[in-house]
Amino acid sequence: MSVGSSGGEAEPMMEMNMTPMIDVMLVLIILLIITIPKANHSVNLNMPVGTPPPPTKEPVVVTIDVDFDGTILWDNVVVPDRSALEAKLMNVAAQADQPEVHLRPNKLVNYSVVAGVMASAQRLGVTKIGLVGNEQFQ
């Protein structure tokens, strides 16, 4: 008789069989992936139908230039201070058919001056404002 033999009896298996559980988990993951709706990153817009009406008149354009030292010009006329600029912007905002405001900053001007002009225009209700001359920044 050998000391290490167990006499032919099999010992019970102490590990759980993981294969069926993994199979079930894979099937559940596949079912989840199949049932998830397709993500749609679109925005539905109601677009006008037909041809647009012809423009009745040429739009009025106001040009605001901001020079490299922060000087603000309204249609090539120097604006002395911020309150005078805001008075002119209030006049533009009060009109029923607002003129287009074209803001042309110099390449070397401090951004805070340009941001201040845009903030004043927005706060006072100017809706047709745009930056002109962006090609100088490229």
Side-chain angles (χ1 to χ4, degrees):
M1 292 192 120
S2 70
V3 178
S5 69
S6 62
E9 293 182 23
E11 292 185 25
M13 188 174 182
M14 299 305 265
E15 296 177 7
M16 184 179 359
N17 189 359
M18 297 295 288
T19 305
M21 189 167 67
I22 292 172
D23 290 344
V24 168
M25 293 302 289
L26 287 173
V27 168
L28 290 176
I29 289 173
I30 291 171
L31 288 175
L32 177 70
I33 291 172
I34 291 173
T35 58
I36 291 176
K38 179 184 168 193
N40 192 2
H41 298 290
S42 65
V43 177
N44 296 328
L45 296 176
N46 295 327
M47 299 300 290
V49 180
T51 59
T56 55
K57 60 182 179 177
E58 190 68 27
V60 178
V61 176
V62 173
T63 305
I64 301 175
D65 292 312
V66 183
D67 208 1
F68 68 93
D69 59 352
T71 305
I72 299 172
L73 293 98
W74 183 280
D75 284 336
N76 295 325
V77 177
V78 175
V79 178
D81 58 358
R82 182 60 62 121
S83 61
L85 174 68
E86 290 185 357
K88 290 178 179 281
L89 288 172
M90 269 194 268
N91 186 18
V92 167
Q95 296 178 17
D97 187 21
Q98 290 187 6
E100 293 179 5
V101 177
H102 293 180
L103 179 60
R104 290 191 312 196
N106 188 294
K107 185 176 184 175
L108 303 174
V109 72
N110 192 355
Y111 179 73
S112 63
V113 177
V114 178
V117 172
M118 289 191 303
S120 296
Q122 181 184 17
R123 186 179 71 250
L124 296 172
V126 177
T127 56
K128 296 180 180 180
I129 186 167
L131 288 171
V132 179
N134 292 336
E135 60 274 354
Q136 67 180 329
F137 299 108
Q138 295 177 356

